Amino acid sequence: MSKHTSLRVGGPAEALALPESRAELREVLELCRKHEVPVRILGAGFNTLVPDAGLRAAVVRLHGLRKLARSDDGRVLAEAGASHSRVTRFCAKEGLAGLEFAVGIPGTVGGWLAMNAGIREREMRDVVECIEFLDPATGKCQEMRAEQLRFRYRALEVPADVVLLKACFHTEPSDPEEVRERMRSFLAERRETQPIDQLSCGSVFKNPPGDYAGRLIDAAGLKGSGVGGAEISTVHANFIINRGGATATDVLQLMDQARAKVLQRFQIELEPEVRVWGEEL
Ligand SMILES: Cc1cc2nc3c(=O)[nH]c(=O)nc-3n(C[C@H](O)[C@H](O)[C@H](O)COP(=O)(O)OP(=O)(O)OC[C@H]3O[C@@H](n4cnc5c(N)ncnc54)[C@H](O)[C@@H]3O)c2cc1C
C-alpha cells in the first residue's frame, strides 16, 4: 500500500481492484462478499495510513469513476474518483465559485466527502447539496440530500461499508479569473505554512476544541523530532513527513510519542485525523 498512500508507507493488501464502472464496482463487491473478504475503499490515499503488516482486506480504488460535469443551473456534479485538481481546475475554467478553499486539499471527491475535508473557515458540509452512494447490503444506489447528511469535524457519518459514488456541489457563477485568483491565494498561504513538497498525510491529529494540534505539539518541543525515517515537520508540527525510508511503524510510534507528550504537558488527548487502517479488521 506504500504505492497507493501519500506517506509512502504500509504493507500489502490482499487484493487491489480498480473498477471502471458502477457495474464493475458491484461485481467486485459481490465477489468479495461471496469469498468473505473485507473491503476497503480508497480515494487517493492522502489521509490513510496502512500498517507495515498490511491488510487482511481487498482495497478498491475508484479512480475509474471520475466523471465531472456542470448542471444547467451551475451545480458541479463529480464522481467519487475525480481528483481534487481536476475538480478545482474545472471550477476555475467554468467560472464557478464555492470550492476554491479545496484547491490545496489533495485527494478525490470520495475522500473529501468521507473526511468532510476543509479548512478553518469552510468544509465540505458547506458546499455539498447531495450525494449518491452504493449500499453494498442491497447493491442499490441511493441519494441523500445535504439536510439528511451527518457531517462532523473531519468525518461523515455513514456505515463503514457504504461506497460514496458522487457529489453534487453548490457553486455560484463567477468570473473565471476571480475564481483562479482566490485559488492562487489559498495555495500561496499553504506553501508558506505547510511542507507541501514532502511526503505526508496532511494533518495527523484533529484540532482539539479551542486549540490547534500543531501549536500543542510545537509547544511540547517536538518539532523536528523523529523515529526512523519519520519526522515531525519543522514547518508545521501537525505534519509527520517521510524523509526517506520511513515505515508505518516509525510513523505510528512518532504519533504515540506526540500524543503522550501533549497529554503529559497539557492534559489534552489528541485524536488522529489520519485514518489508520488494519487495526479494526
Ligand atoms: C499536503 C496535504 C495537505 C492537506 N490539507 C488538508 C486540509 O487542509 N484539510 C483537510 O481536511 N485535509 C487535508 N489533507 C488530508 C487529505 O487531503 C484529505 O483528507 C482528503 O479528503 C483525502 O482524500 P483521499 O481521496 O486521498 O482520501 P483517502 O486517504 O483515500 O481516504 C480517506 C478516508 O476516506 C474513505 N473514502 C475515500 N473515498 C471513499 C469513497 N468513495 N467511499 C467511501 N469512503 C471513502 C477511505 O476509506 C478513508 O477512510 C491534506 C493532506 C496533505 C498530504
Side-chain angles (χ1 to χ4, degrees):
M1 290 302 294
S2 60
K3 288 187 192 152
H4 300 279
T5 51
S6 59
L7 261 169
R8 299 279 182 267
V9 300
E14 300 247 316
L16 175 71
L18 306 166
E20 288 287 332
S21 65
R22 289 185 180 193
E24 282 188 13
L25 170 65
R26 277 203 190 87
E27 240 177 86
V28 167
L29 296 177
E30 180 52 26
L31 203 64
C32 290
R33 197 192 56 75
K34 209 166 127 194
H35 294 278
E36 297 181 352
V37 177
V39 171
R40 284 301 200 155
I41 307 295
L42 186 70
F46 279 98
N47 209 24
T48 299
L49 175 57
V50 178
D52 295 318
L55 285 176
R56 239 183 10 87
V59 172
V60 180
R61 280 194 76 164
L62 297 186
H63 72 288
L65 281 76
R66 53 172 179 261
K67 281 191 209 113
L68 195 52
R70 67 179 286 179
S71 64
D72 292 341
D73 53 1
R75 283 155 177 75
V76 172
L77 309 168
E79 282 194 313
S83 71
H84 75 287
S85 50
R86 268 188 73 224
V87 176
T88 50
R89 271 203 307 268
F90 181 80
C91 290
K93 186 170 143 273
E94 298 281 323
L96 296 168
L99 274 164
E100 295 90 322
F101 75 95
V103 66
I105 305 182
T108 59
V109 167
W112 275 358
L113 296 174
M115 298 304 299
N116 187 20
I119 56 172
R120 210 171 302 162
E121 303 81 14
R122 212 163 157 79
E123 49 191 12
M124 286 301 141
R125 88 168 98 203
D126 301 315
V127 283
V128 169
E129 278 202 1
C130 61
I131 65 167
E132 206 180 336
F133 63 92
L134 177 70
D135 180 355
T138 60
K140 289 205 173 108
C141 297
Q142 294 178 42
E143 212 181 274
M144 264 178 130
R145 301 209 49 81
E147 53 277 17
Q148 299 170 285
L149 294 170
R150 289 163 64 179
F151 282 110
R152 287 189 288 112
Y153 172 46
R154 298 298 167 264
L156 169 62
E157 275 178 33
V158 282
D161 56 351
V162 150
V163 186
L164 302 166
L165 292 174
K166 193 173 173 181
C168 168
F169 295 109
H170 176 82
T171 48
E172 300 277 352
S174 179
D175 173 39
E177 196 39 49
E178 280 176 24
V179 174
R180 250 180 227 116
E181 191 45 47
R182 281 193 292 275
M183 288 181 179
R184 274 188 217 114
S185 117
F186 276 116
L187 283 175
E189 196 184 324
R190 249 170 219 279
R191 239 172 253 123
E192 285 197 1
T193 54
Q194 298 180 355
I196 56 169
D197 298 328
Q198 284 168 303
L199 302 176
S200 83
C201 60
S203 292
V204 174
F205 297 104
K206 294 180 184 172
N207 290 322
D211 213 328
Y212 296 100
R215 190 199 73 77
L216 293 163
I217 297 167
D218 189 5
L222 291 170
K223 254 189 180 173
S225 66
V227 173
E231 181 183 286
I232 295 191
S233 165
T234 50
V235 180
H236 191 313
N238 199 19
F239 279 58
I240 288 180
I241 55 162
N242 178 353
R243 57 184 176 196
T247 62
T249 308
D250 295 340
V251 177
L252 289 164
Q253 277 180 10
L254 196 51
M255 284 172 66
D256 281 347
Q257 285 181 10
R259 287 180 90 176
K261 202 72 182 275
V262 167
L263 183 62
Q264 183 202 356
R265 286 281 300 272
F266 306 106
Q267 293 75 55
I268 293 176
E269 214 160 318
L270 292 178
E271 204 187 308
E273 176 171 323
V274 58
R275 299 287 172 98
V276 182
W277 282 8
E279 289 159 348
E280 67 283 47
L281 290 174

